[in-house]
Amino acid sequence: MQEYDIEFKNKRANDIRMYVVKRPNIPAPRKRYREYDIPGRDGVCYENEETVDDVEIGVEFNFMEKPDKWFGAFDKAKEWLLDGSGKLKFGDDKEFFYKVKKVEIDTAERVCYEIGRFTATFFCGGYRYFESGEKEYREIKYNPGKTSHPIYKVKGTGECVLSVNGKEITAIVQDNLTIDTDLMIAYREDKTMTNTAVTGWYEDMYLKPGENNISISDKFELKIIPRWRCL
């Protein structure tokens, strides 16, 4: 029987001889609502803000090492887990991932001279992302998940109009331009920031659930990283 595993920052736990004790419990994200008290009405009124809170996912690990190498094994775990953010994937859900913002590790329990155990808590954005949504596509017509914040990569020179579901932004392109609607920035392939090259609202370029209609001015090439996601 194959052992259950997780992958973080493109490295599997088993690759460094860390083993998941049991399948973790995955919490559902809480949707955010704005509350209003309206005189003359019973109770509280809620307005959906169309955003979700982060989630915390605890994963329990154990490892086995010779007593004189025990601390070295735990150091490898800390180096893997505590060094920045990245993708978190579970062995029984390989087509999706979470975006981890930070990781915390509790005290390592020395069960015996050779066996250690600890819990890592992954602080993640509330959405679960499609692995297929990280690829580049020349054409996108359908979003299988919730509203997504894509990246648009434009090739060409001059003024172009990018249209998504009837809403438009205008961009001045010199050879290439990348428009990241999640970070709300625009830049060239050499990472030169060019926010002033874009006129319009990044939010208008989001992909809605279901059918979408995307077009760009003639003589420009467009590629899309859709970043499909679900709850």
Side-chain angles (χ1 to χ4, degrees):
M1 181 178 177
Q2 188 176 9
E3 292 181 337
Y4 187 80
D5 202 0
I6 72 163
E7 181 181 306
F8 179 53
K9 296 188 301 186
N10 298 315
K11 182 181 290 186
R12 296 183 305 165
N14 289 3
D15 291 339
I16 59 170
R17 299 176 65 186
M18 295 289 149
Y19 304 100
V20 179
V21 175
K22 61 182 179 180
R23 285 175 171 79
N25 297 318
I26 309 298
R30 293 179 57 186
K31 300 194 73 171
R32 290 178 176 170
Y33 292 87
R34 186 176 288 111
E35 298 182 5
Y36 297 97
D37 287 314
I38 300 178
R41 290 190 59 176
D42 294 326
V44 177
C45 293
Y46 295 93
E47 179 186 355
N48 189 346
E49 295 185 351
E50 302 298 338
T51 56
V52 298
D53 286 333
D54 292 344
V55 295
E56 298 179 18
I57 303 174
V59 181
E60 189 175 3
F61 295 94
N62 62 20
F63 61 95
M64 179 181 292
E65 190 53 89
K66 294 179 181 179
D68 60 333
K69 295 181 179 180
W70 191 93
F71 284 103
F74 187 45
D75 286 343
K76 286 183 180 180
K78 290 185 288 185
E79 182 179 355
W80 171 47
L81 294 169
L82 297 180
D83 187 21
S85 57
K87 290 183 180 181
L88 173 64
K89 299 174 70 173
F90 296 100
D92 53 357
D93 195 30
K94 295 180 180 179
E95 300 305 314
F96 295 86
F97 67 91
Y98 285 90
K99 290 185 178 181
V100 177
K101 299 180 178 182
K102 71 169 184 174
V103 184
E104 294 181 355
I105 295 176
D106 69 358
T107 302
E109 177 188 359
R110 198 157 187 165
V111 180
C112 65
Y113 284 121
E114 296 184 345
I115 298 175
R117 179 171 294 185
F118 65 91
T119 297
T121 301
F122 295 86
F123 295 80
C124 309
Y127 284 97
R128 208 163 128 254
Y129 288 81
F130 292 71
E131 191 66 51
S132 59
E134 300 300 291
K135 300 177 182 178
E136 291 185 356
Y137 297 86
R138 293 186 179 275
E139 185 179 36
I140 293 292
K141 292 185 177 181
Y142 188 81
N143 174 7
K146 298 292 186 180
T147 298
S148 69
H149 302 173
I151 291 175
Y152 297 97
K153 294 187 174 182
V154 182
K155 290 288 182 71
T157 298
E159 181 177 293
C160 78
V161 176
L162 176 62
S163 174
V164 178
N165 299 319
K167 297 179 179 179
E168 299 179 347
I169 62 171
T170 301
I172 305 300
V173 184
Q174 294 182 346
D175 297 327
N176 65 81
L177 182 69
T178 298
I179 301 171
D180 188 325
T181 64
D182 191 39
L183 298 179
M184 295 189 177
I185 59 173
Y187 55 91
R188 292 172 48 82
E189 288 179 353
D190 62 5
K191 304 306 180 183
T192 301
M193 298 295 294
T194 55
N195 286 334
T196 56
V198 176
T199 303
W201 300 99
Y202 289 100
E203 298 96 324
D204 289 343
M205 300 296 101
Y206 292 166
L207 298 179
K208 66 181 182 180
E211 297 291 337
N212 286 265
N213 185 14
I214 304 171
S215 63
I216 196 168
S217 300
D218 293 340
K219 299 182 180 179
F220 287 89
E221 176 186 315
L222 177 64
K223 292 183 179 179
I224 308 163
I225 302 175
R227 288 171 165 167
W228 292 318
R229 61 187 188 173
C230 59
L231 293 176

